[in-house]
Amino acid sequence: MKILSCLTDIKEIEPLKNVGADEIYFGLNHKYIPNYANSGNIKTFDEAKSIINESHKIGLKVYLAANDLNFGAKYNEVLENIKRIIDLGIDGIIVTDLFLLKELQRYNTSLHISSVASVFNTEHLKFLSKNFN
C-alpha cells in the first residue's frame, strides 16, 4: 500500500519518510495555482524546488496539489505556473477541475484525480478512466 501525506514545511520530509510515507504532496500558496485549503502551504517556487529536490534525494515521490475549483481563474496563468512546477521536476499533479485536468494532459507528467473531487457514480468514474487514463 502506498502512503501519501501532505507537507507544509520542508522540515517534514524526513520524518514523514521515517513513519512510512512513500509519496508526499504540497500546495503552493499562489494566486494562480488553485488548491484546497491554502493555509500553511508552501509560499515560493524556490521553496517548492527545494522540497522536490530533498524528497527525491531520499526516494520520495512528490506531487503538487492543484485541486480546487477556481471559477474565474485565468487558466493561461494557472497553466503557466503549474508548468513552472512541472519544470522543477515534480512527479505529478493532483487535480479536481476537469478542464484543468484536460489542459494538463499536454505536459509529460502524471495526473491524479483529487480525493476532494466529486465522483458520485460509476459512470463518472468510467468517464474519467476512459478520458484521463
Side-chain angles (χ1 to χ4, degrees):
M1 174 174 74
K2 294 265 186 200
I3 298 174
L4 175 68
S5 179
C6 180
L7 174 83
T8 59
D9 188 294
I10 194 167
K11 295 174 192 165
E12 298 168 350
I13 295 171
E14 196 166 330
L16 287 170
K17 170 79 172 178
N18 290 341
V19 296
D22 302 295
E23 303 170 334
I24 58 174
Y25 72 92
F26 64 89
L28 185 65
N29 194 2
H30 186 278
K31 179 178 176 182
Y32 290 117
I33 299 181
N35 65 81
Y36 180 67
N38 276 328
S39 63
N41 287 317
I42 306 313
K43 307 283 189 268
T44 68
F45 286 95
D46 287 339
E47 191 177 1
K49 180 164 182 52
S50 295
I51 288 168
I52 293 165
N53 291 341
E54 291 302 311
S55 298
H56 287 165
K57 279 182 191 174
I58 62 171
L60 288 177
K61 287 189 174 186
V62 60
Y63 300 92
L64 172 69
N67 62 347
D68 194 10
L69 297 173
N70 194 351
F71 300 107
K74 296 181 179 180
Y75 273 103
N76 59 328
E77 292 182 15
V78 170
L79 291 170
E80 288 171 14
N81 284 290
I82 291 175
K83 178 67 165 87
R84 284 180 68 184
I85 297 291
I86 292 169
D87 291 343
L88 294 177
I90 199 92
D91 292 295
I93 313 294
I94 301 168
V95 184
T96 297
D97 186 305
L98 287 180
F99 178 78
L100 183 57
L101 187 65
K102 179 184 178 302
E103 292 298 308
L104 289 172
Q105 286 181 311
R106 72 176 87 167
Y107 304 119
N108 187 24
T109 193
S110 179
L111 299 172
H112 302 271
I113 299 291
S114 174
S115 62
V116 298
S118 299
V119 178
F120 294 112
N121 58 49
T122 56
E123 292 305 312
H124 187 199
L125 191 57
K126 288 176 191 175
F127 170 82
L128 293 172
S129 179
K130 177 182 175 188
N131 292 284
F132 300 105
N133 196 19

